Amino acid sequence: MRLTKFTDLALRVVMRLAVLDEAETPTSQEVADSVAAPYTHVSKVVSRLRHLGVLEARRGRGGGLRLTPLGRTASVGWLVRGLEGAGDVVGCEDTAAPCPLRGGCRLRSALREAQEAFYAALDPLTVRDLVGDTARPVLVRLLTGPPPAA
């Protein structure tokens, strides 16, 4: 299973915001620059994450983006489900060309079980786990500009 580019970008945005102090509120443009993504794509991601209650966005002076408490503790499985939407791995019932084997095929249910196992493996993992202290390397800070000169 492969995540959509939208979900990938949303997870990068969440991780970017999760490493910041709560007082730091970058703009959408600053976040877009730091995750190497187009501003227009990040804006769409921010809108969806706001809808999910994962982040808040304030306009104007003193505004910017900030993770909500839910955004810091959300299950990665829950977040990916919310971003990917409820859909089958394969399009057996696509209106343009439904699969002629769909009546007796067992592949669809097997793929649905595999998809749920994928999400279930992500359920115990939280956003905080993605960037917090562990024995493995963690995301401490993303560069916001060109790399420092050596």
Side-chain angles (χ1 to χ4, degrees), residues 63-137:
L65 305 176
R66 179 180 311 171
L67 282 183
T68 64
L70 172 64
R72 293 187 181 282
T73 60
S75 156
V76 175
W78 172 83
L79 188 55
V80 171
R81 279 183 190 93
L83 293 164
E84 288 287 311
D88 287 328
V89 176
V90 292
C92 302
E93 302 289 335
D94 287 350
T95 56
C99 177
L101 304 175
R102 69 188 179 280
C105 181
R106 296 180 186 148
L107 179 61
R108 184 178 186 184
S109 62
L111 289 173
R112 188 177 298 123
E113 287 176 26
Q115 180 182 32
E116 191 48 45
F118 172 79
Y119 290 139
L122 295 174
D123 283 339
L125 188 64
T126 67
V127 171
R128 185 172 283 144
D129 294 333
L130 295 177
V131 298
D133 268 343
T134 65
R136 296 180 293 184

Side-chain angles (χ1 to χ4, degrees), residues 17 20-26 62-66 72:
L17 294 173
L20 299 177
D21 294 329
E22 290 196 28
E24 294 180 77
T25 56
L65 305 176
R66 179 180 311 171
R72 293 187 181 282

